[in-house]
């Protein structure tokens, strides 16, 4: 636990508490359930965990609507349960990062209850309030990601309040220094409890344009880059005034100064932006803002070698000393095994799922691994009558929401997947049962065992942890790059296709073993069977 640079090149395992392990038989995962399964998480060879929200909340957005930043919701346990979780994680050598939803609160938060009473109370300016236009319509054209206007009228103040998400998630006014300080104090509370860092939800949403300028439309034929379904009108605007404002950089520096008081503490920011890689570079450069950030560039549908190469090239051209954190799946998007491999058969799909994770872990940066990803779980089918996600219901059926990636973790091939003794809050997909932890632990050839071997092997390769990346050109369908540190240079080659690929490569190579892939070099040719990789010292 003395490695303060642990996050750089590290693998962070994301846990969605509602769906990880139910310890008390109410059908909802909880903190004691997580603690009971930390030995399994540690066995994967990961460096730490990230816990999605477990704070006190009305749960209209399943914890991303916080009503007490320092409380544990009774659904998940108590503050003592959290202390026990941190102690067990640290005992196992795992760092603990937790979500911080700073940009908005629940509408039942005491701050908002006071703010909405009138225009001259102590919290009157803690949220984003604005007068209607003369005709009574909202102050501008900003939209909510969850559908409709980003403004809701409040009869008491005779004003609109801003909400980038649900109407029950009012946005805080970060132009107010008291708001900024209150959130820094809330973060300090968790750092004092032993937390090792934060995943910062919607980190570029804190500030808004104070003049409330309308957003321009996306030009006809222009790319829609934000992490929302194309059917959502939110993607029809260029979001130049409602998020990613220049003042945000100063607040990120405030956060960094706080974290620097706690050796080894880190931060990873979630960025949804029209120019996501540029924003990632801006937010993580200079060693004075975020430690890491991730975008939706690898969390969307494009998955061709050309697209991945373009993402790598674009980031390299703007990154400087910026440090990314790459994710292929999380609690907001269709699982990568389905999103990138839906057309593949079961056996082919398993091989594909392995090689895309190997590719992710061979990029320059850190890694977020979402629970169940190590099992190769496909997106679960959740019937409409069981949908819980407030984002999915209004856009059904073109967009089915996020429940399919949030279904319970499968521990055993048993009723409810060993997650709970009762019907869980979301149904267990029958296809998941054969991929349970117990089933895969029993097979040396399973996805789980392959990922465990690869993660542990990767930890011994300095170039994969912290090395620079040089992309090799003109390699066609094969992805090729070199990772380099002063003590090691590694050639990496990845085949994401169903065909054998070859590529000329001259120069001495020493093939590495122990990573589980079968790529080789024959007569100055890299030879990669379908869904295979090569790792060689050069």
């Amino acid at each position: 636990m003395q490695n303060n640079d642990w996050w750089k090149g590290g693998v962070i395992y994301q846990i969605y508490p509602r769906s990880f392990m139910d310890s008390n038989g109410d059908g909802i995962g909880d903190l004691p359930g997580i603690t009971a399964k930390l030995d399994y998480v540690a066995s994967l060879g990961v460096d730490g965990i990230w816990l999605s929200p477990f704070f006190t909340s009305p749960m209209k957005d399943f914890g991303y609507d916080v009503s007490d930043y320092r409380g544990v919701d009774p659904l998940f346990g108590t503050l003592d349960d959290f202390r026990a979780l941190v102690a067990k994680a640290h005992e196992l050598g795992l760092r603990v990062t937790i979500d911080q939803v700073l940009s908005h609160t629940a509408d039942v938060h005491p701050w908002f209850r006071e703010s909405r009473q009138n225009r001259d109370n102590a919290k009157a300016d803690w949220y984003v309030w604005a007068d209607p236009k003369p005709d009574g319509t909202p102050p501008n054209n900003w939209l909510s990601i969850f559908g409709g206007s980003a403004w809701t009228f409040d009869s008491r103040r005779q004003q609109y309040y801003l909400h980038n998400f649900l109407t029950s998630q009012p946005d805080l006014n970060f132009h107010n220094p008291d708001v900024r300080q209150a959130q820094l104090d809330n973060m300090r509370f968790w750092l004092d409890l032993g937390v090792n860092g934060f995943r910062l939800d919607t980190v570029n949403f804190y500030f808004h344009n104070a003049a409330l300028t309308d957003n321009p439309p996306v030009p006809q034929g222009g790319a829609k880059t934000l992490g929302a379904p194309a059917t959502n009108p939110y993607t029809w605007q260029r979001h130049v005034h409602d998020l990613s404002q220049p003042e945000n950089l100063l607040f990120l520096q405030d956060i960094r100064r706080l974290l620097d008081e706690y050796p080894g503490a880190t931060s990873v920011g979630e960025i949804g932006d029209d120019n996501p890689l540029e924003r990632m570079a801006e937010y993580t450069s200079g060693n004075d803002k975020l430690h890491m950030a991730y975008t939706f560039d690898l969390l969307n549908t494009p998955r061709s070698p050309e697209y991945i190469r373009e993402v790598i090239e674009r980031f390299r051209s703007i990154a400087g000393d910026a440090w990314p954190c790459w994710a292929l799946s999380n609690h907001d998007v269709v699982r990568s095994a389905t999103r990138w491999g839906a057309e593949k058969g079961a056996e082919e799909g398993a091989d594909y799922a392995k090689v895309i994770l190997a590719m992710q872990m061979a990029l320059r940066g850190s890694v977020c691994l979402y629970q169940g990803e190590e099992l190769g779980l496909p997106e679960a089918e959740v019937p409409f009558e069981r949908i819980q996600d407030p984002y999915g219901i209004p856009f059904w059926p073109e967009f089915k929401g996020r429940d399919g990636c949030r279904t319970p973790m499968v521990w055993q091939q048993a009723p409810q997947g060993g997650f709970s003794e009762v019907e869980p809050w979301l149904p267990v997909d029958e296809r998941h049962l054969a991929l349970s932890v117990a089933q895969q632990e029993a097979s040396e050839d399973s996805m789980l065992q392959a990922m465990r071997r690869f993660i542990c092997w990767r930890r011994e390769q300095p170039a994969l942890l912290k090395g620079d990346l040089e992309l090799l050109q003109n390699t066609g369908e094969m992805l090729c790059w070199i990772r380099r540190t002063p003590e090691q240079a590694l050639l990496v080659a990845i085949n994401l296709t169903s065909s054998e690929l070859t590529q000329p490569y001259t120069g001495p190579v020493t093939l590495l073993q122990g990573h589980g892939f079968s790529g080789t070099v024959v007569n100055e040719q890299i030879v990669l069977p379908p869904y295979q990789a090569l790792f060689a010292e050069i």
Side-chain angles (χ1 to χ4, degrees):
M1 299 295 293
Q2 299 305 309
N3 177 17
N4 290 338
D5 220 14
W6 66 271
W7 54 271
K8 197 162 192 178
V11 179
I12 301 172
Y13 186 86
Q14 182 193 351
I15 293 174
Y16 192 69
R18 292 182 73 91
S19 297
F20 200 60
M21 184 65 197
D22 172 20
S23 73
N24 62 358
D26 64 358
I28 296 173
D30 46 48
L31 297 182
I34 295 170
T35 303
K37 294 296 186 181
L38 284 178
D39 288 286
Y40 164 76
V41 176
S43 78
L44 299 174
V46 301
D47 299 279
I49 59 173
W50 148 29
L51 300 179
S52 290
F54 52 84
F55 314 107
T56 310
S57 167
M59 297 295 165
K60 292 183 179 179
D61 192 21
F62 299 105
Y64 285 91
D65 47 336
V66 179
S67 58
D68 181 358
Y69 281 103
R70 303 188 188 189
V72 173
D73 195 279
L75 277 174
F76 301 122
T78 65
L79 205 54
D80 282 340
D81 290 329
F82 180 76
R83 292 188 179 98
L85 187 158
V86 171
K88 178 66 180 291
H90 288 172
E91 180 185 314
L92 293 168
L94 294 170
R95 275 75 172 192
V96 179
T97 60
I98 64 173
D99 244 302
Q100 288 288 274
V101 190
L102 304 182
S103 69
H104 54 269
T105 71
D107 60 359
V108 296
H109 194 292
W111 296 346
F112 188 68
R113 284 181 165 172
E114 183 175 355
S115 184
R116 74 190 314 179
Q117 293 304 312
N118 51 58
R119 300 190 187 192
D120 56 9
N121 64 78
K123 298 287 190 298
D125 193 38
W126 277 48
Y127 291 81
V128 183
W129 294 97
D131 292 329
K133 289 181 177 179
D135 62 359
T137 55
N140 61 24
N141 72 344
W142 296 353
L143 296 174
S144 162
I145 290 179
F146 286 176
S149 173
W151 299 94
T152 289
F153 188 74
D154 187 88
S155 59
R156 276 161 284 195
R157 289 184 53 139
Q158 292 289 294
Q159 287 182 305
Y160 284 91
Y161 66 85
L162 179 69
H163 54 89
N164 278 294
F165 301 94
L166 296 175
T167 59
S168 58
Q169 292 171 295
D171 273 62
L172 285 160
N173 177 21
F174 275 78
H175 292 284
N176 184 328
D178 292 337
V179 169
R180 300 196 298 273
Q181 187 58 53
Q183 292 295 46
L184 290 170
D185 291 344
N186 285 329
M187 295 172 76
R188 185 182 294 278
F189 172 83
W190 293 103
L191 290 165
D192 287 341
L193 285 180
V195 161
N196 304 108
F198 303 106
R199 179 264 187 184
L200 296 164
D201 185 64
T202 59
V203 72
N204 57 316
F205 280 62
Y206 298 157
F207 283 84
H208 65 287
N209 171 267
L212 304 182
T213 308
D214 279 355
N215 281 328
V218 172
Q220 188 167 4
K224 298 176 179 180
T225 55
L226 279 155
T231 54
N232 187 345
Y234 187 81
T235 65
W236 303 354
Q237 293 183 354
R238 282 278 179 253
H239 293 274
V240 296
H241 299 300
D242 52 344
L243 49 86
S244 300
Q245 299 303 292
E247 299 95 328
N248 210 40
L249 294 171
L250 298 176
F251 183 60
L252 297 184
Q253 289 174 334
D254 291 341
I255 291 175
R256 182 59 175 262
R257 280 190 286 271
L258 170 63
L259 291 171
D260 284 348
E261 296 179 31
Y262 297 81
T266 192
S267 56
V268 56
E270 175 200 35
I271 294 174
D273 189 86
D274 290 331
N275 301 291
L277 293 177
E278 289 84 347
R279 199 67 59 219
M280 180 196 287
E282 181 183 32
Y283 281 17
T284 65
S285 63
N287 200 35
D288 65 344
K289 296 179 282 293
L290 299 179
H291 297 79
M292 304 172 280
Y294 73 86
T295 73
F296 286 81
D297 288 272
L298 297 183
L299 288 167
N300 55 15
T301 301
R303 50 102 191 288
S304 68
E306 292 81 8
Y307 174 78
I308 294 167
R309 192 179 289 116
E310 187 269 332
V311 169
I312 295 170
E313 281 280 33
R314 190 152 40 92
F315 182 72
R316 284 183 64 250
S317 70
I318 61 174
D321 62 349
W323 194 258
C325 185
W326 300 107
L328 295 182
S329 289
N330 68 17
H331 63 291
D332 282 334
V333 300
V334 173
R335 286 184 174 274
S336 60
T338 294
R339 193 179 71 252
W340 280 18
E343 76 283 359
K344 303 183 187 305
E347 184 173 341
E348 185 183 28
D351 290 338
Y352 183 70
K354 292 175 190 176
V355 78
I356 60 173
L357 288 180
M359 178 207 71
Q360 175 193 13
M361 296 185 201
L363 293 169
R364 175 182 177 270
S366 302
V367 173
C368 274
L369 186 69
Y370 182 49
Q371 66 181 50
E373 213 172 352
E374 76 278 14
L375 305 176
L377 296 184
E379 182 81 349
E381 289 292 335
V382 180
F384 180 74
E385 61 271 15
R386 293 293 304 273
I387 288 289
Q388 303 286 326
D389 183 11
Y391 193 8
I393 294 170
F395 292 105
W396 181 279
E398 285 76 15
F399 174 63
K400 297 182 179 180
R402 301 165 294 180
D403 290 329
C405 63
R406 297 178 174 184
T407 57
M409 184 74 169
V410 282
W411 298 101
Q412 303 167 19
Q413 194 171 20
Q416 321 310 342
F419 163 78
S420 178
E421 296 178 355
V422 301
E423 180 70 22
W425 75 287
L426 282 174
V428 174
D429 192 312
E430 291 293 322
R431 298 172 300 159
H432 286 186
L433 296 178
L435 299 172
S436 74
V437 171
Q439 293 294 108
Q440 296 202 39
E441 290 277 15
S443 170
E444 282 299 309
D445 297 327
S446 68
M447 172 87 177
L448 170 60
Q449 298 286 29
M451 284 301 98
R452 182 177 282 144
R453 285 191 294 269
F454 187 83
I455 292 170
C456 292
W457 172 83
R458 177 183 177 273
R459 294 183 79 168
E460 304 303 318
Q461 312 305 321
L464 290 184
L465 297 180
K466 298 181 181 179
D468 294 330
L469 187 150
E470 174 192 346
L471 192 64
L472 301 187
Q473 302 299 322
N474 304 315
T475 59
E477 291 285 281
M478 188 183 295
L479 289 168
C480 293
W481 55 79
I482 294 171
R483 299 292 310 279
R484 196 186 303 272
T485 59
E487 64 267 45
Q488 186 184 43
L490 281 186
L491 171 66
V492 177
I494 306 287
N495 181 3
L496 301 181
T497 78
S498 59
S499 303
E500 181 175 279
L501 299 179
T502 61
Q503 175 66 34
Y505 186 84
T506 57
V509 297
T510 301
L511 295 177
L512 297 182
Q513 306 299 322
H515 46 71
F517 292 94
S518 61
T520 188
V521 176
V522 179
N523 297 327
E524 297 188 330
Q525 292 270 335
I526 299 172
V527 180
L528 292 183
Y531 312 120
Q532 288 298 323
L534 173 144
F535 299 90
E537 290 188 326
I538 58 174

